[in-house]
Amino acid sequence: MKKALITGINGQDGSYLSEYLIKQGYQVHGILRRHSVAENQDVRIKDMDVKTYYGELTDEISLFKILRKVKPDVIYNLAAMSHVGISNELPIFTVKTNSLAVMQLLELAKEICPEAKIYQASSSEMFGNSIDKDGFQRLSTTMNPVSPYGCSKVMAYNLIRYYRNAYNKFYCNGILFNHESPRRGSNFVTNKVIKSIVMIKKNIIKKLELGNLDSMRDWGHSKDYVRAMHLIVNHKKADDFVIATGETRSVKDMVNYVFAKLSIPVKKHLSINKKYFRPEELKYLKGDCSKAKKILKWKPKNNIKSLIKIMIDAELKRLKNI
Ligand code: G4F
């Protein structure tokens, strides 16, 4: 049985990837960060057949011990300080976790499991406000990040490419555009909007407070994107790929759509709070995933409308069960 090690296994992507890899016949191992609320420690993976270890990417000793114990065939590095807004409050921690820790991981893997393939969770946030003339971002688009998070991910992206070339390793980047699901953290905009509007519908809360409504995002479903991760790692050549839907919508359109779907008037229930604005906003993302379509034969099964439906239904079900 092949062994996969997932950092960030209890995250949205880590949990979907675990399910997917188990179905593909992998033995799945994962690193769990200690959480002060014990119930939240492994909340997304608690019923899955995975082996977990307490660890922390910035704690190189824990990483060393886990790599030596598991000796993985493939490592999916999904752990990160993943909230762009919060990276402005925690810039040093963001860089330690998202960049320096990746270098530690690469150095340790080189010594302990030199044959292991590595997948790095790279991000469309790396492009910042660069857009090609045709309105897309792709591998050749200049990286011009506009947040500590974006900067930290550019470093990790380059480290993967450097180690791949310098040491002839099977290390790859998936540049994933925004991807959501019912398992998304509720401080990311899609899940915040959907949870709040469903709760307004149920008379549990009265208002939804948001920040910048003008930014545009290319939103896909996390389940589709973990499928792409596996394809990237199993392609015959180590390479980097953009994973996106190729469609973009403004936050405002997404919010209006969810309000309309639940037949609630927007004006009465939506307000803007400056505290959710970022020092510099990434205004527009639309990914060109034609390389993944052509080479990996990957394409997303969901679009923004099917994704929103899945997320609304899941939230309605969750509220019914509590
Ligand atoms: O949902 P978001 O927080 O996602 P963001 O910043 O695009 O980052 C996500 O996608 C990246 C890929 O491009 C990942 F790398 C990253 O880890 C993360 O998964 O915000 C989306 C947009 C932003 O423009 C934000 O300013 O929504 C805007 N927004 C407006 N009001 C808000 C809010 N975002 C959040 N989180 N909360 C608000 O109240």
Side-chain angles (χ1 to χ4, degrees):
M1 247 181 155
K2 281 204 167 173
K3 286 183 278 183
L5 176 67
I6 305 175
T7 73
I9 193 168
N10 190 44
Q12 167 188 258
D13 293 359
S15 64
Y16 283 122
L17 181 64
S18 298
E19 281 171 352
Y20 189 74
L21 292 180
I22 290 166
K23 282 195 197 131
Q24 302 292 319
Y26 282 80
Q27 190 182 90
V28 176
H29 300 252
I31 302 183
L32 279 183
R33 208 156 31 117
R34 188 256 168 192
H35 200 293
S36 58
V37 181
E39 293 72 29
N40 291 349
Q41 187 80 61
D42 60 351
V43 68
R44 293 186 178 97
I45 53 159
K46 61 176 181 290
D47 300 322
M48 295 180 200
D49 183 17
V50 295
K51 292 186 201 314
T52 56
Y53 312 85
Y54 283 109
E56 160 62 51
L57 270 192
T58 53
D59 175 345
E60 57 269 49
I61 304 297
S62 71
L63 210 51
F64 171 84
K65 286 184 184 162
I66 295 166
L67 288 179
R68 204 177 50 176
K69 185 163 190 171
V70 178
K71 293 263 173 65
D73 298 293
V74 53
I75 301 168
Y76 290 90
N77 185 37
L78 310 187
M81 205 312 280
S82 66
H83 198 287
V84 175
I86 297 173
S87 77
N88 292 289
E89 314 295 318
L90 298 171
I92 310 293
F93 175 69
T94 302
V95 170
K96 281 184 179 163
T97 309
N98 298 0
S99 322
L100 266 186
V102 176
M103 193 171 221
Q104 269 162 203
L105 175 68
L106 297 178
E107 280 296 324
L108 287 171
K110 194 152 65 71
E111 301 302 320
I112 300 170
C113 44
E115 300 306 317
K117 295 179 175 183
I118 299 185
Y119 169 89
Q120 166 64 17
S122 285
S123 162
S124 48
E125 187 72 22
M126 299 187 305
F127 296 119
N129 285 319
S130 289
I131 312 167
D132 285 0
K133 284 203 176 79
D134 64 356
F136 284 90
Q137 286 101 359
R138 47 179 62 83
L139 279 163
S140 54
T141 307
T142 309
M143 290 181 182
N144 195 10
V146 292
S147 62
Y149 172 85
C151 296
S152 71
K153 285 286 180 177
V154 172
M155 174 157 174
Y157 171 82
N158 284 319
L159 286 172
I160 289 285
R161 290 166 64 91
Y162 170 65
Y163 277 70
R164 175 167 77 213
N165 296 331
Y167 302 107
N168 195 24
K169 296 289 183 189
F170 200 108
Y171 294 171
C172 346
N173 287 289
I175 305 182
L176 271 50
F177 281 59
N178 295 52
H179 47 287
E180 320 292 312
S181 75
R183 295 185 195 167
R184 184 61 142 151
S186 50
N187 58 353
F188 292 91
V189 79
T190 52
N191 212 14
K192 177 176 173 182
V193 165
I194 289 165
K195 280 201 165 128
S196 303
I197 300 178
V198 169
M199 284 198 281
I200 292 170
K201 179 85 182 167
K202 298 276 171 200
N203 264 321
I204 302 170
I205 60 167
K206 295 259 173 280
K207 278 249 176 239
L208 164 62
E209 265 194 355
L210 290 173
N212 181 14
L213 301 183
D214 296 328
S215 50
M216 300 188 69
R217 290 292 183 271
D218 176 335
W219 281 292
H221 194 310
S222 168
K223 261 190 178 176
D224 287 334
Y225 288 31
V226 302
R227 229 177 351 102
M229 293 177 192
H230 179 246
L231 288 170
I232 291 172
V233 157
N234 287 288
H235 180 51
K236 56 181 185 296
K237 178 173 160 266
D239 204 350
D240 306 323
F241 292 87
V242 161
I243 302 299
T245 68
E247 287 179 34
T248 189
R249 296 271 187 287
S250 67
V251 173
K252 189 189 276 168
D253 282 351
M254 182 270 291
V255 171
N256 284 339
Y257 182 76
V258 179
F259 269 115
K261 251 194 119 44
L262 289 162
S263 312
I264 300 174
V266 183
K267 276 205 175 128
K268 208 173 138 195
H269 298 284
L270 178 64
S271 62
I272 301 301
N273 189 330
K274 287 275 172 215
K275 83 173 182 197
Y276 296 113
F277 280 67
R278 291 153 187 197
E280 188 175 356
E281 181 61 75
L282 192 164
K283 298 188 186 78
Y284 174 99
L285 285 173
K286 184 161 83 158
D288 171 12
C289 63
S290 53
K291 179 176 170 186
K293 281 186 172 159
K294 188 169 166 222
I295 297 179
L296 304 175
K297 310 288 175 228
W298 174 86
K299 65 173 187 212
K301 291 182 184 159
N302 290 279
N303 60 18
I304 182 75
K305 287 190 175 166
S306 65
L307 172 67
I308 287 175
K309 182 176 180 332
I310 291 167
M311 290 174 73
I312 291 177
D313 289 348
E315 187 54 17
L316 286 167
K317 193 169 159 203
R318 189 185 72 87
L319 285 181
K320 213 170 154 188
N321 291 336
I322 52 175

